[in-house]
Structure formats: structure tokens, C-alpha cells
Amino acid sequence: MSDTREQILEQIKVQGDLVRQLKATKESKEKIDEEVSRLLALKAKLGGDAAPANQKFTLKTPKGTRDYAPQQMTLRQDVLDKIVQVFKRHGGEAIDTPVFELKEVLTGKYGEDSKLIYDLKDQGGEILSMRYDLTVPLARYLAMNKISSIKRYHIAKVYRRDNPAMTRGRYREFYQCDFDIAGTYDPMLADAECVKIVAEVLDTLDIGDYVIKLNHRQLLDGMFEACGVPASSFRAICSAVDKLDKSPWADVRKEMVDEKGLDGATADKIGEYVRLSGGAELVEQLLADEKLKAVSNAVKGLEGMQLLLKYCSLFGLEQRVSFDLSLARGLDYYTGVIYEGVLKADPSAPPSPVKEIHNGDQATEQSSTVGSVAGGGRYDNLVGMFDPRGKAVPCVGVSIGVERIFSVLEAKFAASKVKLRTNDVEVYVASAHKGLHEQRLRVLNQLWDAGIKAEHSYKLNPKLLAQLQHCEEHQIPLAIVLGDAELAQGIVKLREVTTRQEANVNLTELPNEIRRRLQK
């Protein structure tokens, strides 16, 4: 045992020297924090007596995560409540699934993004990973429970080892809000409703002008085939096209040719198509295209788009949707229509690169754009991957990017300097002088039993002015002021905090009078 202890002490000495060296050479904060964590882990092996009581360490949230203060949580909860209202309006039912899955459930479903999955250490024989999204767990849930039709929504946290960009709402731990329709139905009816749901959510949240980009995976594959892309390279080239919303065509073309091994002339043909966007007239134009007419996948995709745009028009979405051939969505499981809700740049905020530093993370961002705030599409084969007999359950769904929406709304509220109310207390029970804490408790109990949200001071004899200031600071609308003289008559003073008007109210009528005033 002593040898082991001596070995650990030597490792602590070496690791301590490394940390001091990194600090002396002014290495990145992220690197230093990583080595400090290893040093603390070594000290922990010796037990609590190994590290001095005054051991310094950096208090921080892990990279790509953050805490949320009451005002931020109030804003977030309001957003989530509004989204749930839209989901329920369309008949959604809620489910939940574990935060981690068997690794084999997640493997091979996300294409190049699979490298972003968080793997967990072996915990008793099962190899597990943190869920990357809510779609693959849904497919596993449907296959496992033999469910062939459901309209479900799911709001929960997911985890990705992504490069965080905190100002744009890109984190390693974040919420997703998903709505999916599973079942065998006629073409584009469910798909169009999902597009409508995206529009309703963004309209309800009122976060700015937006466009919903539409495309079709079959059309993309048909377009690649018409341009001469080998079938084995479809997914890799699709992944490259998916970067067009963040990178210029020249960079994407370079990736196709230099990294994916595509012929330059073929890449140029793709470039001619992916620059196109429009509406029903673009579908007509492409249906007349000689190269695309010769490929059945392209024709099927265009016919699907024609029907989807017709249904979107019936839903009043002509001004909100755009048929965009650059939209690819890199996930491997999409098989049909794909869509993405994108916030347009705020015209009052011209693009300017801003440096953002958070927990040692540094990134250059465009301050005037937020980018994608919703995305989804059809995935007809994913459930069948989990079914022993390969039984397919066609699905189409949408995921609302709430973290980016939160970042937009937080910035708006910070700029407006409006203070959000962070509690729902309706009435504060105050005492005018000493010795009334037991009477406060009796009144509180009466109010709570009547379903009224109420609170009081946790001091026996608080000053009246401090109690009333608390009401003003926390935007509590009503206050009850107790005094011996009034209580002897069975009454209390009911005070409206903003106007400071007071009225005597009989104790037996207090709950009803409070409700009446709150309904004004």
C-alpha cells in the first residue's frame, strides 16, 4: 500500500510541475484547466488529507455548458410553454426516454457527426453513450414497443462534443424540442403539417423575420447522380453541401475535390444547382431540366416538392417557405423531404465579427445572424433498423432549436432593460409591528389552503418598510398588513403594491377578495 501511495505522490509532483510550467509559458486556459483537473484527480486518490484545506481550483461550468439564473429560467420556461401549446394544438402526446442509450443504438445513425457522440465509461457491462438527439431514441422506442403510429413531442436535453459558440446558442448540453408524426399516411400531408408547426412556433415566439427552407433527399440524390457523383459518395457529398449555410461555395467545392476526391467538373455541375432557390416556378423549371428528367429519383423528389409546396400554400405559408437546393441536412437517416427554419439577419445590426470568450472557449461569430432555429424531415427507414424483422414505420418530424431562440430573446431583454418577474407570488403577508409572526402563519395557511400563492418574511419581527420594499422589488401585486387593532376586529389591511391604496377586508372574505383583485 505504501508503494502505491509513494507512486501517486510522485505522479502528483510531476503533474504539479507540468501545471506550473504551463502557467509560466502562458498556455491556453483550457489546457491549464485540463491539467489542473488531472492534478486534483491524483490528489483525490490519496483521500481528503492529501490536498491542503486551502487548495485553489477553478470554479467553472464544463466547456460548452452554462448556468441559468432565475430571470433566464423564467424566459426559458415561457418559451417552452408556448412551444408545448403549439404541439398540443396539433394533437401531440408527450414521451420521455433515458438520457443515455446503448452505444450500438446510436452508432451509424449520424454520418460524420458520429464523432460528436459522448461515450461513457463501462458501468457494469453495458457500453453506453449520451443521447445525441431525440429522434434516434424515438425510433428505438417505437421499435421496442411495437408502435406503428403516434404523434409525439419530446422536450429534453441532448449532448454533443461540438465546438461551442455560446453567443449563437451552440452548446455541448442543450435542449431539443421535437415533434414527430409516425405512421403510414398519404404523401406530404404529415410533412406539410410539420412545416406549419415550425411557422406557428416562430410566429408565436415573435423573434424576428424567418424563412423555412425546403428540399428533398431524393432530389439531392438524383441531382448528384445526374451530375456524375458515384453512388458510394452521395452521403459524403451531401455532408459537404450541408455546409453551404456557413461556408462559401469555393470552400465547399474545395472540400468536395480535395477531401472527398470528387472530380472538379462534377463539383461545378453540382454548384450550378445548389445556388438555386425559389418556389413552385423553380420546381417546374427543374422538371423540364434534361439531366434531371433522366433520373427517376430526381423526378420523384421534384413531384414530392410540388405537392408539398401546394399544401404549404393552403396553409398560408407561401411567403414563409423557400425551395432551396443548397439545403442538405447531413444526418444519414433522412429519406424524403427536409426543411430548416432560418432567422434572417437583423437589419439594424450590421455584420461585425465579435470575439466571444466563455470558460476559455474563443470563437469568431457574426453578431447579426443566428442561423438555423428549426430543422427536420422525413426518415422512413430509421425505425426498421431497430426492428428484428426490419419492419419500417414511416416518420416525419421537426426539432425546434430552442437554445438559439433563447440566445436571441435574452439579448433582446438585455437591450430593453426590462426586468422579468421570476416568481408567481400573488400576495405578501406582512406585519406592522412586533409579535405577529404566529398570526402571519395562520393567515398564510388560510391562503395556501385556498390555492393562493403567498409568502412572508422568515424573520420574527421584520420592519414594515423592508417588507413593502420586498413586494416592490419582486413585483408582488398585493400585500396583507396585519396589526393588533385590526385583528381584534377580525379584519386586515389589503394593500395594492403599485398604487399603495389600502382597504380593510374581513379575514373570512380574504381569499375571495384577493381573487377578485387579481382578476382586474
Side-chain angles (χ1 to χ4, degrees):
M1 184 69 185
S2 60
D3 288 345
T4 305
R5 183 178 179 83
E6 287 170 10
Q7 287 172 359
I8 294 173
L9 286 170
E10 180 59 29
Q11 290 172 8
I12 289 173
K13 181 179 181 302
V14 172
Q15 188 67 20
D17 290 341
L18 174 60
V19 169
R20 282 186 286 276
Q21 182 184 342
L22 291 173
K23 288 181 177 179
T25 56
K26 296 183 177 179
E27 290 288 334
S28 71
K29 186 177 182 297
E30 183 180 357
K31 177 67 175 172
I32 293 171
D33 288 345
E34 186 179 333
E35 297 303 334
V36 167
S37 296
R38 288 177 180 163
L39 177 61
L40 293 174
L42 286 169
K43 289 181 177 179
K45 288 183 179 179
L46 293 178
D49 58 337
N54 63 348
Q55 172 67 54
K56 290 183 179 179
F57 65 98
T58 305
L59 274 175
K60 64 187 279 294
T61 59
K63 181 177 179 181
T65 66
R66 60 175 285 195
D67 293 321
Y68 296 93
Q71 285 220 345
Q72 293 162 331
M73 282 305 300
T74 299
L75 185 62
R76 290 167 74 85
Q77 194 56 54
D78 181 59
V79 169
L80 294 177
D81 289 346
K82 287 176 178 176
I83 291 172
V84 168
Q85 285 176 5
V86 174
F87 290 168
K88 287 186 173 181
R89 190 184 305 147
H90 290 265
E93 302 173 289
I95 70 162
D96 197 13
T97 63
V99 74
F100 44 79
E101 295 274 355
L102 295 175
K103 184 177 180 179
E104 62 198 47
V105 167
L106 304 183
T107 302
K109 311 301 188 304
Y110 302 109
E112 292 185 0
D113 285 349
S114 290
K115 63 182 181 292
L116 304 180
I117 294 173
Y118 271 107
D119 293 329
L120 302 179
K121 286 186 178 179
D122 185 351
Q123 300 288 346
E126 288 187 329
I127 308 301
L128 306 173
S129 296
M130 304 292 282
R131 63 185 173 206
Y132 176 90
D133 68 3
L134 302 178
T135 306
V136 171
L138 169 65
R140 190 266 308 151
Y141 169 83
L142 296 177
M144 192 175 89
N145 294 287
K146 308 278 188 239
I147 296 170
S148 58
S149 69
I150 191 174
K151 202 186 284 188
R152 87 86 172 85
Y153 69 89
H154 189 183
I155 297 177
K157 286 184 175 181
V158 298
Y159 301 84
R160 298 183 185 180
R161 292 174 55 211
D162 206 346
N163 186 32
M166 311 292 275
T167 54
R168 293 184 65 196
R170 189 163 72 231
Y171 303 93
R172 289 184 163 183
E173 176 195 60
F174 58 95
Y175 271 101
Q176 279 194 339
C177 299
D178 283 19
F179 184 98
D180 293 78
I181 300 170
T184 304
Y185 303 113
D186 289 323
M188 293 299 167
L189 289 170
D191 310 61
E193 185 165 351
C194 285
V195 177
K196 175 66 173 173
I197 286 170
V198 174
E200 284 186 16
V201 166
L202 297 180
D203 286 339
T204 300
L205 297 177
D206 191 24
I207 53 173
D209 199 11
Y210 65 89
V211 62
I212 303 172
K213 297 180 180 180
L214 309 174
N215 203 356
H216 201 291
R217 210 55 178 272
Q218 273 186 299
L219 172 57
L220 277 170
D221 287 350
M223 180 181 74
F224 294 149
E225 184 180 338
C227 292
V229 179
S232 58
S233 300
F234 281 6
R235 291 287 76 84
I237 299 304
C238 191
S239 177
V241 171
D242 191 41
K243 296 171 184 171
L244 277 170
D245 62 332
K246 304 178 189 74
S247 306
W249 166 248
D251 291 353
V252 172
R253 183 189 185 281
K254 189 172 186 295
E255 179 183 330
M256 287 179 177
V257 175
D258 295 352
E259 296 178 30
K260 315 284 189 185
L262 194 66
D263 176 69
T266 302
D268 290 336
K269 290 177 186 175
I270 294 172
E272 292 173 15
Y273 286 112
V274 296
R275 289 184 174 91
L276 300 174
S277 64
E281 76 290 342
L282 179 57
V283 178
E284 298 294 339
Q285 177 188 326
L286 293 174
L287 279 169
D289 185 289
E290 293 300 329
K291 282 188 289 189
L292 295 179
K293 277 202 298 189
V295 180
S296 63
N297 260 341
V299 174
K300 287 177 185 174
L302 285 167
E303 288 172 347
M305 285 303 306
Q306 203 169 35
L307 187 58
L308 177 63
L309 288 169
K310 178 182 178 182
Y311 291 158
C312 285
S313 177
L314 292 172
F315 283 147
L317 300 175
E318 301 100 319
Q319 303 304 312
R320 290 301 192 185
V321 298
S322 170
F323 174 30
D324 192 325
L325 270 76
S326 70
L327 178 65
R329 297 195 63 78
L331 299 179
D332 277 1
Y333 51 65
Y334 288 121
T335 57
V337 65
I338 48 178
Y339 36 82
E340 191 161 271
V342 180
L343 277 192
K344 294 182 179 178
D346 181 353
S348 65
S352 60
V354 293
K355 282 278 181 87
E356 171 236 346
I357 302 173
H358 186 98
N359 289 346
D361 310 330
Q362 197 172 75
T364 300
E365 298 293 343
Q366 290 296 321
S367 62
S368 67
T369 60
V370 173
S372 173
V373 290
R378 176 160 289 281
Y379 52 101
D380 286 348
N381 301 327
L382 189 56
V383 178
M385 292 182 183
F386 298 115
D387 189 89
R389 297 179 182 175
K391 183 189 174 186
V393 177
C395 298
V396 63
V398 62
S399 182
I400 308 296
V402 286
E403 299 295 349
R404 290 188 173 182
I405 291 170
F406 292 146
S407 71
V408 172
L409 291 176
E410 282 179 13
K412 278 187 175 181
F413 271 96
S416 70
K417 297 185 178 166
V418 173
K419 185 180 178 183
L420 276 176
R421 194 174 172 208
T422 57
N423 68 69
D424 292 338
V425 175
E426 294 166 328
V427 61
Y428 187 94
V429 181
S431 46
H433 50 76
K434 293 182 180 180
L436 291 176
H437 63 278
E438 290 186 4
Q439 291 288 355
R440 293 205 313 263
L441 296 181
R442 289 191 185 95
V443 173
L444 274 170
N445 195 52
Q446 178 190 4
L447 298 177
W448 288 335
D449 286 347
I452 291 168
K453 303 179 183 76
E455 67 174 7
H456 75 134
S457 170
Y458 294 122
K459 290 186 176 182
L460 290 176
N461 300 304
K463 293 181 179 178
L464 180 58
L465 181 60
Q467 295 172 85
L468 296 177
Q469 283 176 339
H470 176 91
C471 295
E472 291 180 0
E473 287 170 14
H474 293 83
Q475 298 169 285
I476 300 170
L478 299 172
I480 295 167
V481 182
L482 306 182
D484 279 335
E486 289 84 4
L487 288 169
Q489 302 173 54
I491 60 176
V492 295
K493 286 189 184 298
L494 185 59
R495 177 186 177 104
E496 291 186 1
V497 173
T498 52
T499 64
R500 301 187 179 182
Q501 291 181 346
E502 293 183 342
N504 290 335
V505 178
N506 194 302
L507 269 171
T508 57
E509 290 298 315
L510 190 55
N512 289 336
E513 180 61 19
I514 289 170
R515 288 194 196 96
R516 188 184 69 78
R517 298 208 178 201
L518 290 171
Q519 287 170 358
K520 279 185 180 179

